[in-house]
PDB file of all heavy atoms in Angstrom:
ATOM      1  N   PRO A 111       2.369  -4.919  18.191  1.00  0.00           N
ATOM      2  CA  PRO A 111       2.147  -6.288  18.661  1.00  0.00           C
ATOM      3  C   PRO A 111       2.894  -7.334  17.839  1.00  0.00           C
ATOM      4  O   PRO A 111       3.189  -8.423  18.335  1.00  0.00           O
ATOM      5  CB  PRO A 111       0.630  -6.459  18.525  1.00  0.00           C
ATOM      6  CG  PRO A 111       0.251  -5.521  17.422  1.00  0.00           C
ATOM      7  CD  PRO A 111       1.192  -4.358  17.527  1.00  0.00           C
ATOM      8  N   MET A 112       3.173  -7.020  16.569  1.00  0.00           N
ATOM      9  CA  MET A 112       3.814  -7.978  15.672  1.00  0.00           C
ATOM     10  C   MET A 112       4.813  -7.278  14.769  1.00  0.00           C
ATOM     11  O   MET A 112       4.850  -6.046  14.706  1.00  0.00           O
ATOM     12  CB  MET A 112       2.757  -8.700  14.813  1.00  0.00           C
ATOM     13  CG  MET A 112       1.887  -9.678  15.565  1.00  0.00           C
ATOM     14  SD  MET A 112       0.767 -10.621  14.478  1.00  0.00           S
ATOM     15  CE  MET A 112      -0.601  -9.462  14.360  1.00  0.00           C
ATOM     16  N   ARG A 113       5.625  -8.067  14.085  1.00  0.00           N
ATOM     17  CA  ARG A 113       6.516  -7.516  13.067  1.00  0.00           C
ATOM     18  C   ARG A 113       5.703  -7.217  11.813  1.00  0.00           C
ATOM     19  O   ARG A 113       4.840  -7.992  11.420  1.00  0.00           O
ATOM     20  CB  ARG A 113       7.619  -8.520  12.731  1.00  0.00           C
ATOM     21  CG  ARG A 113       8.488  -8.090  11.535  1.00  0.00           C
ATOM     22  CD  ARG A 113       9.487  -9.158  11.156  1.00  0.00           C
ATOM     23  NE  ARG A 113      10.496  -9.330  12.204  1.00  0.00           N
ATOM     24  CZ  ARG A 113      11.462 -10.249  12.145  1.00  0.00           C
ATOM     25  NH1 ARG A 113      11.541 -11.070  11.121  1.00  0.00           N
ATOM     26  NH2 ARG A 113      12.344 -10.325  13.129  1.00  0.00           N
ATOM     27  N   ALA A 114       5.985  -6.083  11.194  1.00  0.00           N
ATOM     28  CA  ALA A 114       5.362  -5.731   9.923  1.00  0.00           C
ATOM     29  C   ALA A 114       6.446  -5.603   8.863  1.00  0.00           C
ATOM     30  O   ALA A 114       7.417  -4.862   9.053  1.00  0.00           O
ATOM     31  CB  ALA A 114       4.575  -4.427  10.040  1.00  0.00           C
ATOM     32  N   VAL A 115       6.283  -6.334   7.775  1.00  0.00           N
ATOM     33  CA  VAL A 115       7.258  -6.298   6.687  1.00  0.00           C
ATOM     34  C   VAL A 115       6.506  -6.148   5.373  1.00  0.00           C
ATOM     35  O   VAL A 115       5.398  -6.665   5.217  1.00  0.00           O
ATOM     36  CB  VAL A 115       8.128  -7.577   6.675  1.00  0.00           C
ATOM     37  CG1 VAL A 115       7.269  -8.819   6.485  1.00  0.00           C
ATOM     38  CG2 VAL A 115       9.210  -7.506   5.611  1.00  0.00           C
ATOM     39  N   VAL A 116       7.074  -5.410   4.441  1.00  0.00           N
ATOM     40  CA  VAL A 116       6.433  -5.199   3.148  1.00  0.00           C
ATOM     41  C   VAL A 116       6.543  -6.485   2.332  1.00  0.00           C
ATOM     42  O   VAL A 116       7.638  -6.977   2.065  1.00  0.00           O
ATOM     43  CB  VAL A 116       7.070  -4.021   2.387  1.00  0.00           C
ATOM     44  CG1 VAL A 116       6.423  -3.865   1.018  1.00  0.00           C
ATOM     45  CG2 VAL A 116       6.933  -2.730   3.191  1.00  0.00           C
ATOM     46  N   GLN A 117       5.397  -7.021   1.941  1.00  0.00           N
ATOM     47  CA  GLN A 117       5.352  -8.250   1.156  1.00  0.00           C
ATOM     48  C   GLN A 117       5.261  -7.952  -0.340  1.00  0.00           C
ATOM     49  O   GLN A 117       5.875  -8.615  -1.150  1.00  0.00           O
ATOM     50  CB  GLN A 117       4.148  -9.086   1.595  1.00  0.00           C
ATOM     51  CG  GLN A 117       4.059 -10.490   1.051  1.00  0.00           C
ATOM     52  CD  GLN A 117       4.993 -11.448   1.754  1.00  0.00           C
ATOM     53  OE1 GLN A 117       6.162 -11.515   1.394  1.00  0.00           O
ATOM     54  NE2 GLN A 117       4.502 -12.170   2.741  1.00  0.00           N
ATOM     55  N   VAL A 118       4.472  -6.935  -0.698  1.00  0.00           N
ATOM     56  CA  VAL A 118       4.319  -6.514  -2.094  1.00  0.00           C
ATOM     57  C   VAL A 118       4.587  -5.017  -2.156  1.00  0.00           C
ATOM     58  O   VAL A 118       4.009  -4.245  -1.390  1.00  0.00           O
ATOM     59  CB  VAL A 118       2.900  -6.815  -2.627  1.00  0.00           C
ATOM     60  CG1 VAL A 118       2.744  -6.315  -4.061  1.00  0.00           C
ATOM     61  CG2 VAL A 118       2.603  -8.309  -2.552  1.00  0.00           C
ATOM     62  N   GLU A 119       5.455  -4.595  -3.048  1.00  0.00           N
ATOM     63  CA  GLU A 119       5.826  -3.180  -3.142  1.00  0.00           C
ATOM     64  C   GLU A 119       4.618  -2.310  -3.464  1.00  0.00           C
ATOM     65  O   GLU A 119       3.680  -2.739  -4.142  1.00  0.00           O
ATOM     66  CB  GLU A 119       6.901  -2.983  -4.212  1.00  0.00           C
ATOM     67  CG  GLU A 119       8.241  -3.565  -3.825  1.00  0.00           C
ATOM     68  CD  GLU A 119       9.358  -3.148  -4.771  1.00  0.00           C
ATOM     69  OE1 GLU A 119       9.044  -2.499  -5.796  1.00  0.00           O
ATOM     70  OE2 GLU A 119      10.523  -3.463  -4.492  1.00  0.00           O
ATOM     71  N   GLY A 120       4.660  -1.079  -2.962  1.00  0.00           N
ATOM     72  CA  GLY A 120       3.581  -0.147  -3.226  1.00  0.00           C
ATOM     73  C   GLY A 120       3.889   1.206  -2.632  1.00  0.00           C
ATOM     74  O   GLY A 120       5.052   1.617  -2.550  1.00  0.00           O
ATOM     75  N   THR A 121       2.837   1.895  -2.199  1.00  0.00           N
ATOM     76  CA  THR A 121       2.994   3.213  -1.595  1.00  0.00           C
ATOM     77  C   THR A 121       2.047   3.328  -0.400  1.00  0.00           C
ATOM     78  O   THR A 121       1.059   2.605  -0.294  1.00  0.00           O
ATOM     79  CB  THR A 121       2.664   4.341  -2.590  1.00  0.00           C
ATOM     80  OG1 THR A 121       1.335   4.142  -3.094  1.00  0.00           O
ATOM     81  CG2 THR A 121       3.647   4.356  -3.745  1.00  0.00           C
ATOM     82  N   ALA A 122       2.353   4.251   0.495  1.00  0.00           N
ATOM     83  CA  ALA A 122       1.505   4.486   1.661  1.00  0.00           C
ATOM     84  C   ALA A 122       1.533   5.959   2.024  1.00  0.00           C
ATOM     85  O   ALA A 122       2.505   6.674   1.753  1.00  0.00           O
ATOM     86  CB  ALA A 122       1.972   3.647   2.844  1.00  0.00           C
ATOM     87  N   LEU A 123       0.450   6.408   2.644  1.00  0.00           N
ATOM     88  CA  LEU A 123       0.417   7.714   3.282  1.00  0.00           C
ATOM     89  C   LEU A 123       0.906   7.508   4.712  1.00  0.00           C
ATOM     90  O   LEU A 123       0.326   6.722   5.461  1.00  0.00           O
ATOM     91  CB  LEU A 123      -1.004   8.266   3.280  1.00  0.00           C
ATOM     92  CG  LEU A 123      -1.644   8.476   1.901  1.00  0.00           C
ATOM     93  CD1 LEU A 123      -3.105   8.870   2.046  1.00  0.00           C
ATOM     94  CD2 LEU A 123      -0.877   9.527   1.106  1.00  0.00           C
ATOM     95  N   VAL A 124       1.970   8.202   5.091  1.00  0.00           N
ATOM     96  CA  VAL A 124       2.625   7.969   6.374  1.00  0.00           C
ATOM     97  C   VAL A 124       2.489   9.206   7.252  1.00  0.00           C
ATOM     98  O   VAL A 124       2.727  10.335   6.809  1.00  0.00           O
ATOM     99  CB  VAL A 124       4.111   7.609   6.177  1.00  0.00           C
ATOM    100  CG1 VAL A 124       4.782   7.369   7.525  1.00  0.00           C
ATOM    101  CG2 VAL A 124       4.242   6.364   5.299  1.00  0.00           C
ATOM    102  N   MET A 125       2.107   8.967   8.521  1.00  0.00           N
ATOM    103  CA  MET A 125       1.897  10.049   9.468  1.00  0.00           C
ATOM    104  C   MET A 125       2.604   9.721  10.778  1.00  0.00           C
ATOM    105  O   MET A 125       2.535   8.578  11.250  1.00  0.00           O
ATOM    106  CB  MET A 125       0.397  10.226   9.730  1.00  0.00           C
ATOM    107  CG  MET A 125       0.056  11.243  10.809  1.00  0.00           C
ATOM    108  SD  MET A 125      -1.730  11.401  11.080  1.00  0.00           S
ATOM    109  CE  MET A 125      -2.193  12.303   9.613  1.00  0.00           C
ATOM    110  N   PRO A 126       3.290  10.678  11.393  1.00  0.00           N
ATOM    111  CA  PRO A 126       3.875  10.430  12.720  1.00  0.00           C
ATOM    112  C   PRO A 126       2.795  10.032  13.720  1.00  0.00           C
ATOM    113  O   PRO A 126       1.672  10.527  13.678  1.00  0.00           O
ATOM    114  CB  PRO A 126       4.507  11.777  13.087  1.00  0.00           C
ATOM    115  CG  PRO A 126       4.733  12.472  11.775  1.00  0.00           C
ATOM    116  CD  PRO A 126       3.609  12.025  10.895  1.00  0.00           C
TER     117      PRO A 126
END
Side-chain angles (χ1 to χ4, degrees):
M112 289 186 275
R113 172 185 293 177
V115 60
V116 177
Q117 189 77 276
V118 178
E119 290 190 354
T121 56
L123 299 173
V124 180
M125 174 180 286

